Amino acid sequence: MTQDTFRLISRTQAEYARCIDDGALEDWPGFFLEDCFYQVTTADNHRQGMTAGLIWANTRRMLTDRVSALRDANIYERHTYRHMLNAPAILEKNGDAVRSETSFFVVRVTNDGPTDIFATGRYLDRWRIDGDVAKLAERIVVCDSSRTDTLLALPL
């Protein structure tokens, strides 16, 4: 692993979190390859190899549709997130493919309510590196708690 790979993934992770936290959801699918996989699941389900997720998408188009639904169709209490991320652990590098794991802590901020701990867990990622661009081929969001808030609207 080179420092360049670590820095590139760290920078992309920060941009990913900022995109969601700043509400630029239309830009969020751009962090993924066209053929990608995105899943939000619990640690218990992940340990047991259960493939269904709380959120499940296998193309960037499905992620784009999710954003459209959030903007135009779904009704939920308006809120924002604030992500805190650890540095990514680079687990494997093979040519332009990289696997990493990053711990996260997300708080939810409601417009007229409190700031609450929303989710903690880890991102299990497969990246494709092309020059100075890192794109997600796969992101499995493994939430530590088996209890999931019903307000899981925004992507993690």
Side-chain angles (χ1 to χ4, degrees):
M1 181 209 53
T2 67
Q3 279 300 108
D4 289 342
T5 301
F6 175 81
R7 280 194 292 269
L8 177 58
I9 290 175
S10 295
R11 184 184 76 223
T12 305
Q13 293 276 43
E15 291 168 356
Y16 175 100
R18 185 170 186 231
C19 171
I20 295 169
D21 292 352
D22 287 352
L25 298 182
E26 287 75 13
D27 297 335
W28 172 67
F31 287 92
F32 294 83
L33 296 171
E34 286 292 333
D35 292 320
C36 64
F37 181 72
Y38 177 78
Q39 177 187 39
V40 177
T41 189
T42 65
D44 192 44
N45 285 353
H46 184 71
R47 266 192 302 278
Q48 294 180 43
M50 295 182 176
T51 58
L54 305 166
I55 299 175
W56 190 96
N58 65 356
T59 65
R60 186 163 66 193
R61 185 177 173 111
M62 288 178 76
L63 300 176
T64 300
D65 287 347
R66 180 167 183 81
V67 172
S68 294
L70 287 170
R71 294 293 197 212
D72 302 326
N74 294 356
I75 298 171
Y76 59 94
E77 179 184 3
R78 294 288 171 203
H79 64 283
T80 58
Y81 289 158
R82 180 67 55 206
H83 285 72
M84 271 72 61
L85 306 175
N86 277 7
I90 307 300
L91 305 176
E92 180 181 348
K93 185 174 186 325
N94 186 6
D96 65 351
V98 176
R99 282 189 331 105
S100 70
E101 179 177 323
T102 306
S103 296
F104 68 84
F105 178 93
V106 177
V107 296
R108 179 180 60 212
V109 183
T110 55
N111 288 341
D112 58 352
T115 298
D116 295 316
I117 296 173
F118 185 71
T120 63
R122 58 195 171 126
Y123 297 135
L124 303 178
D125 295 327
R126 282 189 312 110
W127 297 90
R128 182 69 37 88
I129 308 295
D130 185 10
D132 63 350
V133 175
K135 295 273 187 176
L136 285 160
E138 177 179 271
R139 169 156 281 183
I140 300 174
V141 181
V142 181
C143 297
D144 292 329
S145 178
S146 60
R147 188 175 183 141
T148 305
D149 193 302
T150 58
L151 198 54
L152 181 57
L154 303 179
L156 288 170

